[in-house]
Amino acid sequence: MSDIETMSRQERINAYWKENNRLIAILLIIWFSVAYIPPLFVNQLNQISIAGFPLGYYFGSQFSLVVFVILIFYYAYAMNKLDAKYHLKDRDK
């Protein structure tokens, strides 16, 4: 029998939110890094050109958006796994 199955409902909820907050913090760090660090180095990145466009352009217009979408899907996937781990589905409310 795992520890989660022996926990009370309130203990499961507390552990669930602790893991959820940890996941959110990690994803926010990634989001912040992708959104705010590349502009700091745009002059250096623009010295590299891909298909006639500066690399800074790709980071701002393509790369960051792709990373944001990946973060959204990963968060949904991770939350579904977390819900199942702690046996906390929407119907348990």
Side-chain angles (χ1 to χ4, degrees):
M1 186 178 283
S2 70
D3 288 344
I4 294 171
E5 293 176 9
T6 60
M7 293 177 163
S8 70
R9 179 170 169 74
Q10 189 60 44
E11 289 172 333
R12 281 188 295 140
I13 290 172
N14 291 340
Y16 171 86
W17 278 105
K18 185 177 180 181
E19 279 195 47
N20 187 15
N21 288 336
R22 183 175 164 270
L23 175 64
I24 290 171
I26 291 169
L27 295 179
L28 281 175
I29 289 169
I30 294 170
W31 168 83
F32 182 84
S33 299
V34 170
Y36 291 104
I37 291 178
L40 298 175
F41 303 102
V42 71
N43 291 332
Q44 291 84 4
L45 292 172
N46 283 343
Q47 293 177 2
I48 301 170
S49 181
I50 299 175
F53 293 98
L55 187 58
Y57 166 79
Y58 282 111
F59 269 89
S61 66
Q62 304 293 320
F63 176 72
S64 61
L65 297 177
V66 170
V67 171
F68 297 156
V69 171
I70 290 170
L71 289 178
I72 291 168
F73 282 105
Y74 180 76
Y75 181 72
Y77 168 77
M79 288 307 299
N80 284 334
K81 284 185 66 176
L82 200 61
D83 288 346
K85 178 180 176 182
Y86 287 100
H87 311 290
L88 297 171
K89 299 284 184 184
D90 288 338
R91 67 176 183 257
D92 293 339
K93 289 182 179 176

